[in-house]
Amino acid sequence: MKRLGAGAVTAAVVLAGAVPVATAHDGDRPPGPRVVTEGLDNPRQLNWDQEGDSLVVAEAGRGGEQCTEAGCVGATGAVTLVEDPHRWTPTVSTVADGFFSSAAPDGSFAVGANGADATDVAGQYLVAGYDPDRPPMRNGAMLVAGTEDGQEYLLPYADLQAAEEQLNPDGAQIESNPYAVLFVDEDSGVSPDGYALVADAAANAVWKVEPDFSTATEGAPPEYEITVWATWPTTVLPDGTDDPAGPAEFVPTSLATDEDGNVYVGGLGSERPGEASVVQFSADGAELERWDGFTAVTGVAVDGGHLYVSQLFGPTPPLPPGETPAEEAPPTPGQVPGQVVVLHRHHEDPVRWAIDVPLPAGLAADGRGSVYAAVNSVAPAEGIAAGAQNPFGAVGGGAVWELDFSDTYRLDAAGE
């Protein structure tokens, strides 16, 4: 299993039917990406709210002041709402905060509120994260947070760690690292209803969390059932640990849905070059399509014809200092890696195009030509300073960008 330490796009011209390319910019807008909002701590998943006009941003936080050899912990995770992100000055607000976060001493590579989505209840959000009342890193949970009658609430709702201990769908070591969440509204005319899908990177599974709303009372939330919606095998050694010589693990990190209710799951692929994938499922969990050849997928989005994929480190993940194989060039000093890849999802063997985006994670497409990305997704608000242990040089602070695909370049068949 794997634990993560962690636009305006004008569809005016289509190259080989694969990628929307901006040939003109709105008004006086300069070429390149537009900063929608910045000052975010380790921004991860992006989702649209139920109205489809505001971005829900999960911030994994920046750890805290309680430090051990394992990292620094604190209640610094948050959910941020970006209203009308297409505007030059969107309204940005924190709609939920106080989530468990663990990070390096400089606030980088946090785990915490890794994923967030809005429900059909006004002001309510689901969060893929951790229960602060349980031992760190054995506390994977889906939380519910929001505001009701002017009062904020934060409830560790679904115990994903317990589900992993009971079901262990990939048969490997017991570990939960919830990384993305998707609210599925089964009936738009009824509220509350629906269920949640949670991508659990360490469990190598997507959980389905289904509440029984008939059991809810004024003083208690509804009971729920957790089932395995999708899972992938893990090759393990006799001692129960992962086999590094075995096939790459899928490691689900990303969730998205299309207008037909199909679900797209992106995986990290053990951070091995070219061994990550995106899988399309029907709403009931039947596999429909699969795109292979990616590297370290940390975000997916779709619009009417395209699939967008974040590759956290670009085509080749960096290794720790001193461990880069001789045949591989180390990262260029001062060059922050990362790509967003786009392809036409209705084409057989589609051409892939990419743009450089620093350390991208969550993606969101509005269906009208704009694509948004969480960038510098492993950095706190002030960024990461250059140093001996940082092969990238200085990294900018966490932010959300609107992407510009006018400078795409074509990738080869391996996605590199």
Side-chain angles (χ1 to χ4, degrees), residues 55-212:
L55 281 175
V56 179
V57 184
E59 293 186 65
R62 54 184 303 117
E65 297 181 356
Q66 301 179 31
C67 297
T68 65
E69 292 183 358
C72 300
V73 301
T76 56
V79 178
T80 295
L81 191 69
V82 183
E83 301 177 49
D84 299 317
H86 62 281
R87 296 183 179 275
W88 285 107
T89 55
T91 300
V92 181
S93 59
T94 300
V95 292
D97 58 11
F99 297 96
F100 173 88
S101 175
S102 176
D106 64 354
S108 65
F109 289 89
V111 292
N114 300 314
D117 199 5
T119 76
D120 59 356
V121 175
Q124 185 180 86
Y125 301 89
L126 304 179
V127 174
Y130 303 92
D131 183 345
D133 295 327
R134 298 192 61 182
M137 301 301 100
R138 296 194 64 82
N139 55 345
M142 187 189 79
L143 303 95
V144 181
T147 303
E148 183 177 11
D149 298 329
Q151 298 295 315
E152 297 182 1
Y153 59 90
L154 193 166
L155 172 69
Y157 179 60
D159 190 340
L160 302 180
Q161 178 69 27
E164 164 72 347
E165 292 172 0
Q166 178 183 0
L167 302 174
N168 191 15
D170 72 342
Q173 62 259 52
I174 306 299
E175 194 174 17
S176 176
N177 181 20
Y179 214 78
V181 62
L182 187 68
F183 171 72
V184 180
D185 190 357
E186 295 181 285
D187 186 345
S188 60
V190 176
S191 177
D193 79 322
Y195 59 88
L197 298 177
V198 183
D200 193 325
N204 237 344
V206 175
W207 305 109
K208 181 179 181 180
V209 181
E210 191 164 18
D212 180 358

Side-chain angles (χ1 to χ4, degrees), residues 291-362:
W291 298 270
D292 297 316
F294 297 105
T295 299
V297 173
T298 47
V300 293
V302 295
D303 58 20
H306 301 94
L307 169 68
Y308 303 90
V309 180
S310 285
Q311 296 191 135
L312 179 63
F313 300 115
T316 305
L319 294 175
E323 295 185 19
T324 301
E327 65 272 17
E328 294 185 14
T332 302
Q335 180 178 335
V336 179
Q339 287 178 327
V340 171
V341 179
V342 56
L343 57 87
H344 201 298
R345 59 189 176 91
H346 299 304
H347 288 189
E348 184 176 353
D349 192 22
V351 175
R352 299 183 184 189
W353 303 82
I355 57 174
D356 295 328
V357 178
L359 299 168

